[in-house]
Amino acid sequence: MRYLFIIAITSLLLSCKSEQQQYHFRTLTEDGKSYEILDSVLIKTRDGAQIAAMVVKPGEIKEPGTSILFHTVYARHDDIKRAKKAADKGYIGIVSYTRGKAWSPDDPIPYEHEANDTYDVIDWISRQKWSDKRVGMYGGSYVGFTQWAAAKKLHPALKTIVPSVSAAPGIAEPTENGVYVNFHYPWFHYVMEDKYLADSLYSDWQRWNNLYLEWYKKGTSYRSLDSLDGFPNREFNKKLDHPVYDNYWQDMMPYKEDFAQIDIPVLTTTGYYDGGQIGAMYYLKEHMKYNKNANHYLLIGPYTHFGAQSVPDKEIGNYTIDPVAQINITETIFQWFDHIFKDASRPELLKDKINYQVMGTNSWGHASSLKEMNNDTLRFYLNDKVSGELFESTFSGKQQHLSLSRQKEEKRSYAEQEVDLADRRDGKQNNYFSPFVINETLTLGNGISYVTEAFEEEFEMNGSYLGELKLSINKRDLDCSMVLYEQTPEGKFFKLTLAYVGRASLAKDKSKRQLLTPGEISSIPLGNVRMSSKKIGKGSRLVLVLNVNKHPHAQINYGSGKDVSDETIADAKTPLKIKWYNDSFIEIPIRRKQ
């Protein structure tokens, strides 16, 4: 018996030894710097898949060191530069890939296995002789998601994450508040048709725009996109099979009580003009909701999706950001790692949990929570009375807004909107798109605009507007959009953040569709609205553009009550008629001068 025990222990030790000796570092000297590099590593997961990875150590460090992990689906041939950057900062830089990417022999599968695979990668790192059993993670978009996937079941070696502009499958990708958005369609080809990236296919915007226009003009089902294209898109279609936030999505990342056990420090970065802000803020809010002691910091400013994970552009949509907003976010991230792993001071900009740049003031604000960003709230009702305030419409000349009123009307009334969902003529789209931050004219997209009175004193708008739409329709569902602007005394329109897009039937519960009853008044709460921060000047007004979605760049909800991906133009039948009631309201979080 003792002999068998010795044999078993010896076999285990030999197995561990062979795993650690399987790869040998090579030395590289470049630009006066020395690196120790492991190329073409394959890490075996518990279910038998193989994860491709590379490791770069600083040449001058011989003791076990701390690892900075970047786990991505975006496999590129020059990814060693990213690992070297971590090594240049005194860490062991590691880039690992979604299963099936780079030199992994498996089939590429984004999203589904990242929670388990990142755990196994971190476990492998922690068992290496060169590791001090401490790992930090960073990166943006999909790489932000992989960090939250890793946090679903925390490995003891994972000590901090720095997710930027994080994807949140089922919450913000490929849907936003329940509405599928077309630009995700070619993304699956981009990451799955090649062991690296199908750049030429993905960047063929003419092809994709032609596809969307063909689908829009023909009125075929959303599920038919790949049939029209003549190129199967299996993974996209799989996502269409899960139109609500069900177990399929919940298993990919922390869900509800999972957030309670995330007790490591987190730094989130995102931007007011970041499409990924919905996901980034979802994680932050859920973390703070379920873990009252969450050690979670936020850095947010007037940044786009790419700017908020690296170095922001100085100009966004013809708006020049304030000088204090022109920071190097990558450097801030490594300062954070030095704070966590080397006992350095916290990055200077992170003076409190919530750190936000107030556009138009050349200053940063700092608060202990999202709630503490504000000291007042302005509620405005969507009044159907004409405001008398003229404005220049982009396509229709002089127009008048309806009113955003501080007082609720005693008598219920409504503004009526009719949308023929079958009408595909030019000029008949209902679209919220506006490419600029500062606009000389207001793009209505066949929607309705509401305006406040001019403000008598300046204040800061800080945070996400909330509210509730009271409406009745002659169908069973609709998708709507809202965009909030500051209208300056000079008549320009400053877009405060990207549009809100949402599905009425999922507004109360994203995991269960609740269809509307035709002809009855329904209350639709606004959730997952992007936040912003800006000084609203004296004499300015707020303008809200409200609309229904009908355009070639997102799913069209015909209101039949069927799975929206299966609806066609034949389900449009009679035009959609909406009554927007005057007890609908939005609430604007503000900070007044003390």
Side-chain angles (χ1 to χ4, degrees):
M1 187 71 176
R2 183 171 177 270
Y3 173 76
L4 292 175
F5 176 76
I6 292 172
I7 291 293
I9 292 297
T10 303
S11 298
L12 178 62
L13 290 173
L14 287 173
S15 173
C16 293
K17 184 177 181 181
S18 65
E19 180 183 356
Q20 292 197 16
Q21 291 183 345
Q22 183 179 359
Y23 303 103
H24 301 281
F25 284 98
R26 64 179 176 88
T27 300
L28 172 68
T29 301
E30 186 177 76
D31 298 328
K33 300 173 184 176
S34 177
Y35 304 97
E36 298 292 320
I37 298 174
L38 282 183
D39 292 311
S40 305
V41 174
L42 282 172
I43 301 169
K44 193 170 183 178
T45 66
R46 286 163 289 172
D47 64 355
Q50 296 188 78
I51 305 299
M54 65 178 72
V55 181
V56 177
K57 291 197 309 176
E60 69 276 8
I61 296 179
K62 304 304 179 184
E63 301 82 14
T66 301
S67 300
I68 302 301
L69 173 63
F70 187 93
H71 183 85
T72 181
V73 73
Y74 299 114
R76 294 180 171 90
H77 292 284
D78 63 351
D79 281 334
I80 196 168
K81 293 179 181 178
R82 192 177 296 278
K84 286 178 183 175
K85 184 173 185 63
D88 290 341
K89 300 291 186 179
Y91 297 98
I92 299 170
I94 301 174
V95 177
S96 60
Y97 299 103
T98 298
R99 64 168 63 187
K101 298 296 290 182
W103 47 91
S104 166
D106 302 298
D107 293 330
I109 303 177
Y111 289 118
E112 294 182 8
H113 300 285
E114 300 293 22
N116 288 325
D117 289 355
T118 51
Y119 186 97
D120 290 343
V121 170
I122 295 167
D123 188 67
W124 179 85
I125 294 169
S126 70
R127 290 187 286 107
Q128 305 309 304
K129 291 187 295 184
W130 41 261
S131 169
D132 69 359
K133 297 179 172 49
R134 296 190 301 168
V135 178
M137 297 180 73
Y138 81 105
S141 197
Y142 187 93
V143 190
F145 153 70
T146 63
Q147 295 170 68
W148 285 109
K152 186 173 179 69
K153 182 183 178 183
L154 274 176
H155 191 285
L158 183 58
K159 302 302 183 184
T160 187
I161 59 174
V162 188
S164 300
V165 301
S166 299
I171 299 293
E173 291 86 19
T175 70
E176 186 166 315
N177 294 318
V179 181
Y180 286 86
V181 184
N182 289 11
F183 74 83
H184 293 288
Y185 177 85
W187 183 87
F188 291 99
H189 289 314
Y190 181 47
V191 300
M192 295 182 69
E193 295 300 326
D194 194 291
K195 284 292 185 179
Y196 285 83
L197 296 171
D199 288 300
S200 59
L201 176 63
Y202 186 60
S203 61
D204 188 355
W205 298 115
Q206 190 64 54
R207 169 183 176 158
W208 306 122
N209 284 331
N210 288 344
L211 172 63
Y212 306 151
L213 284 170
E214 181 183 8
W215 163 76
Y216 179 74
K217 292 286 187 181
K218 288 184 175 179
T220 57
S221 73
Y222 199 65
R223 204 180 292 276
S224 73
L225 273 171
D226 64 345
S227 297
L228 292 174
D229 189 38
F231 189 10
N233 197 332
R234 173 180 54 82
E235 201 64 27
F236 178 79
N237 287 335
K238 184 194 296 185
K239 302 300 182 279
L240 296 183
D241 291 335
H242 300 275
V244 301
Y245 193 63
D246 58 13
N247 290 338
Y248 175 75
W249 304 109
Q250 294 165 16
D251 289 345
M252 295 181 187
M253 60 191 196
Y255 178 62
K256 291 189 175 180
E257 284 76 14
D258 292 338
F259 284 97
Q261 55 84 36
I262 301 175
D263 57 0
I264 59 174
V266 180
L267 170 60
T268 288
T269 72
T270 183
Y272 307 142
Y273 304 102
D274 165 30
Q277 192 203 121
I278 293 289
M281 296 303 295
Y282 168 79
Y283 292 120
L284 180 141
K285 291 174 182 177
E286 292 294 286
H287 192 196
M288 291 185 166
K289 174 182 177 180
Y290 287 98
N291 186 337
K292 301 303 181 185
N293 297 313
N295 189 8
H296 197 144
Y297 284 75
L298 172 68
L299 177 64
I300 186 169
Y303 309 134
T304 63
H305 191 63
F306 294 103
Q309 53 185 310
S310 55
V311 180
D313 294 326
K314 293 183 179 180
E315 185 173 292
I316 300 170
N318 65 20
Y319 166 63
T320 301
I321 68 176
D322 292 340
V324 297
Q326 298 172 17
I327 62 175
N328 188 319
I329 291 176
T330 302
E331 289 303 310
T332 302
I333 289 169
F334 278 94
Q335 290 169 12
W336 173 267
F337 287 140
D338 288 348
H339 168 60
I340 300 299
F341 294 119
K342 300 179 180 179
D343 295 324
S345 299
R346 195 167 61 223
E348 184 178 358
L349 194 53
L350 305 182
K351 298 186 184 303
D352 214 325
K353 292 292 181 65
I354 308 299
N355 305 275
Y356 56 99
Q357 203 274 311
V358 186
M359 293 185 288
T361 68
N362 198 34
S363 65
W364 284 83
H366 310 277
S368 59
S369 67
L370 293 172
K371 183 178 180 180
E372 293 301 316
M373 294 172 65
N374 318 296
N375 58 17
D376 202 355
T377 301
L378 298 178
R379 174 178 283 201
F380 296 102
Y381 291 92
L382 278 61
N383 200 313
D384 58 307
K385 294 180 180 178
V386 175
S387 67
E389 177 67 19
L390 288 173
F391 70 93
E392 191 69 32
S393 169
T394 305
F395 299 109
S396 305
K398 293 288 185 182
Q399 299 281 315
Q400 284 196 74
H401 301 289
L402 298 182
S403 300
L404 277 177
S405 305
R406 292 301 308 278
Q407 298 298 320
K408 181 180 178 181
E409 293 288 331
E410 292 184 6
K411 183 179 179 181
R412 173 175 268 174
S413 57
Y414 55 84
E416 194 162 18
Q417 184 180 11
E418 182 172 309
V419 180
D420 187 349
L421 295 168
D423 190 344
R424 296 295 194 264
R425 290 177 296 168
D426 293 341
K428 293 297 182 179
Q429 292 185 27
N430 291 72
N431 197 338
Y432 52 83
F433 180 72
S434 175
F436 302 112
V437 173
I438 299 176
N439 302 271
E440 298 290 335
T441 59
L442 183 64
T443 301
L444 291 179
N446 293 314
I448 302 172
S449 64
Y450 297 82
V451 68
T452 67
E453 295 287 341
F455 296 111
E456 296 180 356
E457 60 180 12
E458 67 179 42
F459 58 86
E460 294 176 8
M461 173 189 161
N462 291 335
S464 302
Y465 63 89
L466 301 174
E468 189 170 73
L469 296 176
K470 303 290 183 68
L471 58 89
S472 64
I473 60 175
N474 60 334
K475 296 180 183 289
R476 304 186 71 193
D477 203 1
L478 87 161
D479 296 344
C480 67
S481 66
M482 302 175 75
V483 189
L484 189 66
Y485 297 86
E486 175 193 12
Q487 182 176 338
T488 68
E490 297 76 30
K492 295 183 179 181
F493 298 91
F494 190 105
K495 184 168 62 177
L496 293 166
T497 187
L498 301 183
Y500 165 84
V501 181
R503 178 157 295 164
S505 61
L506 293 173
K508 294 179 180 177
D509 185 349
K510 59 184 176 291
S511 66
K512 181 181 179 182
R513 194 177 184 197
Q514 300 175 49
L515 295 172
L516 282 60
T517 301
E520 290 190 6
I521 297 176
S522 299
S523 296
I524 309 300
L526 300 178
N528 285 337
V529 179
R530 290 177 178 84
M531 69 172 285
S532 187
S533 177
K534 186 182 185 298
K535 182 182 76 173
I536 305 299
K538 180 180 179 180
S540 285
R541 306 165 185 264
L542 291 178
V543 173
L544 180 73
V545 178
L546 175 63
N547 209 345
V548 172
N549 286 356
K550 191 196 77 172
H551 55 82
H553 305 291
Q555 198 177 38
I556 296 176
N557 187 343
Y558 291 95
S560 71
K562 298 190 301 188
D563 186 332
V564 178
S565 294
D566 294 325
E567 289 182 313
T568 71
I569 200 168
D571 292 298
K573 297 181 180 178
T574 59
L576 170 65
K577 294 182 179 180
I578 315 148
K579 295 177 180 178
W580 304 104
Y581 285 92
N582 62 355
D583 51 347
S584 302
F585 65 88
I586 59 170
E587 291 182 335
I588 309 294
I590 70 168
R591 175 166 289 278
R592 299 186 189 275
K593 289 184 177 180
Q594 298 294 306

